[in-house]
Amino acid sequence: MSDPTAAGAAATRADARALLASLPDTLPRDEILAINSSKSDIHTQRTYAYNGWTFHLPPGVFKPGDTSRIVHDRLLDGTIPLEGRSYAAIGAGLGVEAVIAGVKGAREIYAADIHPDSVATAAAHYDLIVGDRPGTVFRPLVSNLFEEFPASARLDVITFNPPAVSTKTSDDPTVVRNVCVGIDIVARFFDQIVDRDLLAPDGEVHLIVSNTSELKSIVKYAIEAGFAPQITHRQTWEGDNCQAYLFKLRRDHAA
């Protein structure tokens, strides 16, 4: 008698291999630099508008770009459901994801960032826009990925738009931290999820990566770490060859 579980696992692995083969190669260095060549204003006071909300950014806090908005839109429209769930925004920045999660009725919200001023900014925006919401616990956390999360944390949803651009685009350490750390940060992200058993049963990781990063290597690493990926959105822009992918990944316990 055939084993349906084994057959399902084999199909999942075959799907993962096919997905990996379909992804584009990393763009050449000159194209990556051209896409990321705009002058940074990260050391100035700025504002950011989204969904009728105004966010105020102090110097050093990263302003969301096009790829961040892909995540924001899918949290807001319910494509990534949050109501009643435990959610972690990794690289919380100015706090858009945390605010959306509060408005959408998440049960628990971790707004985590390695940058203390970003965590403080996210917390201030959450307090201003969402406030004290019955049934929701808000946890701002200065953390290098998941390092400061409590051992008891079990997450239903994790989002991450990693600074994984493969080419150094600036000598400014603040820009590097927000843009071009490279593949290492994504590898540590997946390793920590596995090592700390952070995902609840049926938990989901939503990761956005483009071909300005080592896209194929990142997805391959996730597969080898025991995650089954699915493409939920692909975005292109007129005028360049950048392709951004939003992946939903679940632990493949049969891997």
Side-chain angles (χ1 to χ4, degrees):
M1 181 181 294
S2 63
D3 182 349
T5 302
T12 299
R13 289 191 288 270
D15 290 343
R17 288 193 296 270
L19 182 150
L20 185 61
S22 75
L23 297 175
D25 293 329
T26 300
L27 289 173
R29 182 177 184 274
D30 59 341
E31 291 191 47
I32 294 172
L33 290 174
I35 291 168
N36 292 277
S37 63
S38 59
K39 184 177 179 181
S40 173
D41 60 355
I42 198 166
H43 297 291
T44 66
Q45 295 277 353
R46 293 143 294 142
T47 60
Y48 177 73
Y50 182 78
N51 192 44
W53 303 315
T54 299
F55 298 83
H56 296 273
L57 289 76
V61 176
F62 190 67
K63 186 175 183 177
D66 291 341
T67 53
S68 294
R69 283 190 288 274
I70 292 170
V71 177
H72 299 165
D73 290 347
R74 275 138 198 87
L75 291 171
L76 188 66
D77 70 13
T79 301
I80 303 174
L82 294 171
E83 184 175 2
R85 307 181 88 185
S86 178
Y87 167 60
I90 302 301
L94 76 169
V96 178
E97 296 98 330
V99 166
I100 295 170
V103 169
K104 289 292 183 177
R107 171 175 53 84
E108 181 179 46
I109 303 164
Y110 288 92
D113 203 296
I114 195 173
H115 185 232
D117 286 352
S118 292
V119 175
T121 301
H125 287 133
Y126 186 92
D127 288 344
L128 179 67
I129 298 171
V130 182
D132 187 14
R133 200 175 190 89
T136 298
V137 178
F138 176 59
R139 305 184 190 278
L141 192 62
V142 178
S143 181
N144 186 348
L145 298 174
F146 301 99
E147 288 182 4
E148 303 303 324
F149 276 59
S152 60
R154 293 296 177 273
L155 303 166
D156 299 302
V157 182
I158 302 169
T159 60
F160 190 30
N161 182 8
V165 171
S166 61
T167 295
K168 187 178 180 183
T169 64
S170 174
D171 291 324
D172 184 333
T174 303
V175 175
V176 172
R177 171 174 57 82
N178 284 283
V179 176
C180 49
V181 175
I183 189 173
D184 175 67
I185 193 169
V186 193
R188 289 190 290 112
F189 169 80
F190 284 114
D191 288 346
Q192 289 182 20
I193 292 173
V194 173
D195 292 345
R196 294 167 177 258
D197 194 22
L198 282 163
L199 278 182
D202 296 323
E204 305 168 356
V205 174
H206 297 268
L207 177 79
I208 190 154
V209 192
S210 79
N211 59 340
T212 64
S213 306
E214 295 179 55
L215 175 60
K216 286 186 173 181
S217 295
I218 286 169
V219 176
K220 183 173 184 287
Y221 194 96
I223 293 168
E224 291 176 348
F227 291 83
Q230 173 189 352
I231 297 170
T232 57
H233 182 81
R234 174 179 170 271
Q235 181 78 43
T236 61
W237 291 270
E238 188 174 350
D240 61 47
N241 294 314
C242 184
Q243 300 180 50
Y245 290 80
L246 180 63
F247 297 94
K248 179 168 73 174
L249 303 106
R250 287 185 168 141
R251 292 289 303 276
D252 179 9
H253 293 288

